[in-house]
Amino acid sequence: MELVRVDPARPGQAAIAAAADALRAGGLVAFPTETVYGLGADARDEHAVRAVFAAKGRPPDNPLIVHVADLAGLHEVAARVSPLALELAQRFWPGPLTLVLDALEHLPAVTTGHLTTVAVRVPDHPVALALLRAAALPVAAPSANRSGRPSPTTAAHVVADLDHEPVALVLDAGPCPIGIESTVVDARGQAPVILREGAVTREALGDAAHAVGSPASPGTRYRHYAPSCPVEIVAAGHGPDRAAALARDGLRVGLVAGEPAPEGVTTLAIIDGPAALARLLYEALRTAEIHGLDIVLVEAVAETGIGRAVMDRLRRATAG
Ligand code: TXA
Ligand code: MG
């Protein structure tokens, strides 16, 4: 696995061209998006997409998100693009909104998890967009973690999970600006149906949007975002006291809170609201593992805006 640094402000042509060549040759490329790093392959190449599932250890019935460079790319993977989908694409793309639509028949069944629908988005990251334009093909890309692990928000996380897998290249553009995954919306009907909460908030989608219970996105059925040590959610402001108490009991405790951890407790992240928790949560969970901590305490944030999606991820991390 080769790691290449790319300046997000000026994505170097050589690195992008090498990554695009690898994708066109049926190889795998990990690349940054505004949400998390993705593990990409040519969405039309059954063999390449199978390699993505194998590298992640991903269940075959969990479909991938196809990434395209622009609205025109949408028509290369989706049939019957609804007026709602067009409106949402115009409002939110490039950006962290994934639209589920009827799939064009030529897309391989591995890409769509054997569903008749396809999930598609235009990512809002200069490196991702440069890669998609250079490769000139739809790129199927799940988050670039081992299945069941927290999504990678840095290139180092990708290497930690996939170092021994046949990944041609990792484009390293530093930490992802948002830090949690895109919102997945079924856009086939009259109103958006939220299948997975994410970086585009329910408020932004408007009053007509509603969430389904189960079955939502196939991926939300699986235990996700799971670090190897237990995670406990505490009320805002109560993290330090609870952490100190557990530390007195002899536990090695990590804290994600609005203030630094007390003596004897590891500060994993200091957060000043939902957006900061979104950006730092997965990194904090991975750091806790590296330090071999016994428990991680995370202070809850308000469940408005991106806070709803972050708390959703956090609850999944605590569900044993
Ligand atoms: O922000 C993101 O969405 C990142 C970056 C790399 O774009 N990708 C990502 O992919 O989080 P992944 O594979 O980790 O999650 C994709 C989610 C899963 O929950 C999957 O079940 C759902 O999208 N999905 C994919 N195709 C679908 C479909 N046809 N119908 C319903 N849900 C679908
Ligand atoms: Mg994932």
Side-chain angles (χ1 to χ4, degrees):
M1 175 185 290
E2 193 193 343
L3 196 134
V4 183
R5 283 190 197 286
V6 187
D7 179 355
R10 292 178 37 216
Q13 289 310 308
I16 298 295
D21 284 350
L23 286 174
R24 277 198 298 264
L28 309 190
V29 171
F31 62 95
T33 78
E34 78 279 34
T35 58
V36 301
Y37 276 74
L39 179 63
D42 181 350
R44 303 165 312 189
D45 180 340
E46 183 174 333
H47 185 78
V49 174
R50 274 190 208 290
V52 170
F53 279 87
K56 283 180 57 87
R58 183 179 179 101
D61 62 349
N62 191 6
L64 308 184
I65 294 173
V66 178
H67 297 68
V68 294
D70 50 35
L71 200 56
L74 172 61
H75 297 276
E76 285 171 32
V77 294
R80 284 178 294 283
V81 175
S82 64
L84 173 66
L86 273 182
E87 182 208 318
L88 292 173
Q90 261 144 15
R91 269 174 69 200
F92 293 104
W93 285 358
L97 181 70
T98 295
L99 301 177
V100 170
L101 291 164
D102 290 319
L104 280 180
E105 262 166 32
H106 66 76
L107 268 189
V110 274
T111 301
T112 58
H114 298 84
L115 299 176
T116 56
T117 53
V118 62
V120 53
R121 81 178 187 103
V122 177
D124 186 15
H125 192 291
V127 174
L129 287 172
L131 176 62
L132 291 167
R133 287 188 197 112
L137 44 83
V139 174
S143 50
N145 51 284
R146 284 282 307 167
S147 197
R149 306 258 309 131
S151 292
T153 55
T154 69
H157 299 163
V158 178
V159 174
D161 276 18
L162 303 177
D163 198 18
H164 301 295
E165 301 301 329
V167 177
L169 210 61
V170 183
L171 296 177
D172 176 3
C176 299
I178 293 178
I180 61 164
E181 304 84 351
S182 65
T183 305
V184 180
V185 158
D186 186 336
R188 289 175 296 169
Q190 302 281 314
V193 179
I194 301 169
L195 304 179
R196 177 177 76 176
E197 302 276 357
V200 167
T201 66
R202 216 183 267 198
E203 292 88 335
L205 284 169
D207 290 341
H210 59 282
V212 286
S214 81
S217 254
T220 59
R221 283 200 300 266
Y222 301 101
R223 187 182 176 219
H224 251 102
Y225 321 112
S228 58
C229 62
V231 178
E232 187 182 303
I233 303 172
V234 289
H238 290 70
D241 284 353
R242 171 82 179 137
L246 290 172
R248 280 196 299 276
D249 289 345
L251 292 182
R252 303 187 58 199
V253 187
L255 181 64
V256 177
E259 51 193 304
E263 181 87 18
V265 173
T266 304
T267 300
L268 292 173
I270 300 174
I271 49 157
D272 62 2
L277 184 58
R279 210 166 52 242
L280 300 172
L281 177 64
Y282 293 153
E283 162 88 16
L285 297 179
R286 284 173 178 267
T287 305
E289 282 185 347
I290 292 166
H291 287 257
L293 301 182
D294 298 313
I295 186 164
V296 177
L297 302 185
V298 183
E299 285 189 351
V301 293
E303 293 203 43
T304 56
I306 202 170
R308 197 194 309 272
V310 190
M311 291 303 292
D312 165 76
R313 304 303 191 271
L314 201 46
R315 282 194 208 94
R316 286 174 199 282
T318 62

